[in-house]
């Protein structure tokens, strides 16, 4: 069969021969994808550049952030635009507003942008939605209007309250405890601090685990042969997760106990050398690290943020009279401090209980410093340090209201106003520490031969030297020392007896 070419095809062939540069274009273009205005002009739509066609284009309106509240605790805590919610049950309206203002400071420390804050007056929090079903619907409207993606409640919510409130507001809901745990996780630097925060997070997360879809499926039960040889349903996925978390918690407690042993050894060494210890305790952001730097030059991180420093710092210091002592900076406290943190940081807070003197630092420029004092003393009672002598150090005196300073100095009998930033009152504080530290119980005068110079050195490091005179027979030493050193110095007492 002989095929004949149409006139149009012959014309195209002649055109291709006369224009060889179009030959490649004809070869690359298939007939079925060739574009023509008559056929495709109205169908193809707007044309895009090559870069626009290759790029990812965001399609608006597909975000499920406001709808998908599945497994909130499993997702990374990502606070961006938040609305605060508080329940006012006791106290005055000012107290509830101060508590919500502190929650806003915590949220900003965690990296959030606070959009709004509301308070609900109730006798007690609602068992289902924390603020009640009607107020929860109003909160949903506030969230939609402000464009928030997280709601933070000023209290510790039960797992049921978290679920029910999320179902209503359609965004992530976290409580005060989860917020503080997130801040601690960001700021923990040392191995011990990270382990303590991890333990507290697991304790908090354990009762709040959720299952979803196939996560609730059961594993195959026991049976020798496997396959169809099942005796009953096995444990669910969520039960497996809980068991693994309990195992990790047990391992973490063992690791923290080992770290506690090392800290205890250091404390025993200081006790053996009769070195007094002073612990700095106080509300978060009250200026504890600034005071430590001012007293010892420790160079600890100072930042105007809540819980800026978590890891305890112990530094050596000296009183104006030459007595050596240790100064320990502890973790900051806050009202309604989660009991998970108190338990996890118990080994760190033992520095307060084992100290000889507590410097209780309070922010004199805070609107309610008395509330800070009460919150810190509550934690001090929890760690069993109520019998340790306490000096209330009213910091930030340069920025505080003079009337507030006078009121605090009148209420707190053993108190002093200082400014760690300017150095105001630091000399008086050092003299007060020197007077309050426990002194050696035995006053002795001895003529120590030069061949026993170690006893003189021990008197300087372990005791308080009152006078020292070098004679031809030896060093005439008068000092207040502990009973052990007094026994070693007794053979060299010329005539005086120990007092």
């Amino acid at each position: 069969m002989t095929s004949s070419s149409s006139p149009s095809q012959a014309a195209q062939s002649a055109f291709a021969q006369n224009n060889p540069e179009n030959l490649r274009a004809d070869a690359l273009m298939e007939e079925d994808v060739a574009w023509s205005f008559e056929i495709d002009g109205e169908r193809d739509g707007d044309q895009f550049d090559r870069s626009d066609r290759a790029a990812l284009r965001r399609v608006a309106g597909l975000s499920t952030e406001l709808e998908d509240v599945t497994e909130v605790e499993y997702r990374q805590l990502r606070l961006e635009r938040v609305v605060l919610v508080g329940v006012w049950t006791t106290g005055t309206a000012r107290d509830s507003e101060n508590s919500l203002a502190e929650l806003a400071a915590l949220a900003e420390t965690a990296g959030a942008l606070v959009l709004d804050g509301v308070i609900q007056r109730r006798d007690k929090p609602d068992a289902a939605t924390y603020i009640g079903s009607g107020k929860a619907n109003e909160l949903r409207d506030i969230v939609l209007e402000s464009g928030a993606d997280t709601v933070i409640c000023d209290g510790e919510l039960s797992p049921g309250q978290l679920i029910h409130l999320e179902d209503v507001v359609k965004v992530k809901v976290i409580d005060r405890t989860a917020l503080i745990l997130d801040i601690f996780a960001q700021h923990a630097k040392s191995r011990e601090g990270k382990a303590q925060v991890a333990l507290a997070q697991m304790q908090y997360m354990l009762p709040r685990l959720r299952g979803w879809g196939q996560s609730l499926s059961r594993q195959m039960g026991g049976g020798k042969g496997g396959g169809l040889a099942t005796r009953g349903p096995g444990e669910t996925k969520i039960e497996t997760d809980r068991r693994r978390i309990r195992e990790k918690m047990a391992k973490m407690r063992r690791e923290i106990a080992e770290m506690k042993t090392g800290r205890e050894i250091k404390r025993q060494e200081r006790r053996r050398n009769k070195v007094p210890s002073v612990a700095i305790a106080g509300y978060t952001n009250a200026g504890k690290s600034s005071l430590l730097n001012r007293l010892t030059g420790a160079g600890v991180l100072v930042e105007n943020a809540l819980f800026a420093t978590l890891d305890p710092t112990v530094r050596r210091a000296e009183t104006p009279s030459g007595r050596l002592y240790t100064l320990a900076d502890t973790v900051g406290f806050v009202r309604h401090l989660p009991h998970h943190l108190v338990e996890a940081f118990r080994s760190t807070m033992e520095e307060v209980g084992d100290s000889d003197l507590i410097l209780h630092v309070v922010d004199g420029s805070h609107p309610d410093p008395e509330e800070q004092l009460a919150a810190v003393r509550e934690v001090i009672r929890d760690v069993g340090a109520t019998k340790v002598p306490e000096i209330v150090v009213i910091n930030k005196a340069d920025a505080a209201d003079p009337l507030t300073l006078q009121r605090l100095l009148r209420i707190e009998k053993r108190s002093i106003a200082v400014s760690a930033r300017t150095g105001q009152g630091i000399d008086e504080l050092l003299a007060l520490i020197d007077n309050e530290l426990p002194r050696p119980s035995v006053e002795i005068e001895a003529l120590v031969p030069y061949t026993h110079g170690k006893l003189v050195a021990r008197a300087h490091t372990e005791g308080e030297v009152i006078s020292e005179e070098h004679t031809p027979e030896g060093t005439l030493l008068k000092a207040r020392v502990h009973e052990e050193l007094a026994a070693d110095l007794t053979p060299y007492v010329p005539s005086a007896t120990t007092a």
Side-chain angles (χ1 to χ4, degrees):
M1 180 180 295
T2 303
S3 61
S4 61
S5 299
S6 64
S8 61
Q9 291 177 343
Q12 290 178 0
S13 177
F15 179 78
Q17 291 178 358
N18 296 330
N19 298 275
E21 65 276 4
N22 295 326
L23 190 61
R24 176 175 176 80
D26 292 339
L28 293 176
M29 180 178 291
E30 295 292 338
E31 184 178 358
D32 56 346
V33 296
W35 184 88
S36 65
F37 180 78
E38 293 81 1
I39 300 175
D40 302 316
E42 298 180 358
R43 184 183 65 186
D44 197 61
D46 296 335
Q47 300 299 303
F48 296 96
D49 293 336
R50 181 180 180 85
S51 60
D52 293 334
R53 294 199 309 268
L56 289 173
R57 289 184 291 126
R58 183 179 298 278
V59 181
L62 295 184
S63 174
T64 59
E65 184 66 28
L66 298 180
E67 298 294 339
D68 183 11
V69 292
T70 304
E71 300 178 345
V72 175
E73 280 75 27
Y74 289 117
R75 294 198 301 248
Q76 182 182 2
L77 188 61
R78 181 174 51 83
L79 300 180
E80 294 179 354
R81 301 166 63 85
V82 301
V83 173
L84 310 180
V85 180
V87 173
W88 172 20
T89 56
T90 59
T92 63
R94 182 182 176 185
D95 295 336
S96 61
E97 292 175 359
N98 289 338
S99 180
L100 206 67
E102 183 180 272
L103 186 67
L106 289 170
E108 292 176 358
T109 302
L113 175 63
V114 179
L115 302 179
D116 204 348
V118 293
I119 298 175
Q120 164 69 353
R121 183 71 170 96
R122 297 179 62 93
D123 295 335
K124 62 180 180 179
D126 184 69
T129 59
Y130 183 66
I131 56 176
S133 58
K135 296 302 179 183
N137 291 327
E138 294 182 17
L139 178 62
R140 178 186 58 191
D141 297 337
I142 295 175
V143 168
L144 292 175
E145 181 182 356
S146 61
D149 57 12
T150 303
V151 171
I152 305 179
C153 297
D154 191 15
E156 184 169 349
L157 272 63
S158 66
Q161 288 174 327
L162 281 173
I163 296 173
H164 293 149
L165 191 56
E166 283 173 357
D167 290 340
V168 176
V169 299
K170 305 300 181 184
V171 296
K172 293 178 295 185
V173 177
I174 64 172
D175 56 11
R176 185 187 184 94
T177 302
L179 180 62
I180 295 177
L181 287 173
D182 179 73
I183 297 174
F184 272 55
Q186 293 180 32
H187 293 174
K189 303 300 181 184
S190 66
R191 178 169 173 261
E192 183 176 9
K194 292 179 179 179
Q196 290 168 333
V197 172
L199 176 60
Q201 286 178 324
M202 286 186 287
Q203 287 177 330
Y204 174 80
M205 185 175 60
L206 183 60
R208 292 169 175 82
L209 290 179
R210 302 188 199 171
W212 182 260
Q214 293 300 318
S215 296
L216 291 176
S217 63
R218 294 183 180 273
Q219 299 180 5
M220 185 171 293
K224 296 182 179 179
L228 297 178
T230 59
R231 297 181 180 177
E235 60 183 355
T236 61
K237 176 66 166 56
I238 194 170
E239 291 170 346
T240 305
D241 293 340
R242 287 172 178 165
R243 176 168 50 82
R244 290 175 178 174
I245 289 179
R246 291 190 185 97
E247 293 174 354
K248 290 182 180 180
M249 289 171 58
K251 180 181 178 181
M252 201 68 66
R253 287 192 179 98
R254 290 194 296 268
E255 293 180 358
I256 294 176
E258 293 175 359
M259 301 176 195
K260 178 182 176 181
T261 302
R263 187 179 296 277
E264 181 63 26
I265 291 175
K266 294 179 182 178
R267 283 198 290 261
Q268 290 178 357
E269 183 70 15
R270 293 197 294 266
R271 294 193 199 102
R272 187 179 65 84
N273 293 328
K274 309 298 182 183
V275 179
S277 62
V278 178
I280 301 178
Y283 214 77
T284 179
N285 203 31
K288 298 183 299 300
S289 298
S290 300
L291 184 63
L292 177 69
N293 292 339
R294 173 66 67 172
L295 294 176
T296 65
V300 178
L301 170 67
V302 174
E303 185 179 355
N304 186 20
L306 304 184
F307 300 114
T309 53
L310 293 182
D311 304 319
T313 304
V314 180
R315 291 293 184 268
R316 186 174 178 177
E318 186 175 345
T319 64
S321 62
R323 302 173 61 196
L324 295 177
Y325 67 97
T326 60
L327 198 61
D329 183 18
T330 60
V331 63
F333 303 147
V334 71
R335 63 163 64 96
H336 309 306
L337 189 67
H339 65 277
H340 308 296
L341 288 176
V342 176
E343 183 65 27
F345 279 79
R346 185 169 295 276
S347 62
T348 301
M349 295 178 181
E350 286 177 356
E351 293 286 350
V352 179
D354 292 340
S355 62
D356 298 302
L357 180 66
I358 297 177
L359 296 183
H360 186 166
V361 184
V362 60
D363 184 359
S365 62
H366 191 270
D368 193 1
E370 288 87 356
E371 181 67 23
Q372 289 191 353
L373 289 169
V376 174
R377 283 168 176 162
E378 181 180 355
V379 180
I380 290 177
R381 285 195 300 269
D382 292 340
V383 298
T386 54
K387 296 182 180 180
V388 182
E390 176 191 64
I391 297 177
V392 176
V393 181
I394 308 170
N395 194 21
K396 305 181 183 180
D398 54 328
D401 183 9
L403 296 178
T404 302
L405 290 179
Q406 294 178 7
R407 185 178 74 249
L408 291 175
L409 291 173
R410 184 178 64 254
I411 295 174
E412 301 293 337
K413 302 305 180 182
R414 303 175 63 185
S415 60
I416 184 172
V418 303
S419 174
R421 186 177 66 88
T422 63
Q424 172 187 346
I426 296 299
D427 294 337
E428 292 81 357
L429 176 60
L430 288 173
L432 187 58
I433 293 175
D434 196 359
N435 293 330
E436 293 293 334
L437 282 178
R439 295 182 176 275
S441 57
V442 180
E443 182 175 338
I444 190 172
E445 183 175 357
L447 182 62
V448 183
Y450 292 116
T451 56
H452 293 75
K454 290 183 178 180
L455 294 176
V456 179
R458 286 180 59 189
H460 280 277
T461 56
E462 301 178 13
E464 181 181 356
V465 176
I466 300 175
S467 63
E468 184 178 7
E469 181 182 355
H470 298 286
T471 65
E473 293 80 11
T475 302
L476 183 60
L477 183 70
K478 184 177 182 181
R480 296 184 64 90
V481 296
H482 298 282
E483 295 179 357
E484 296 178 0
L485 182 56
D488 296 335
L489 289 173
T490 300
Y492 308 105
V493 175
S495 59
T497 57
T498 59

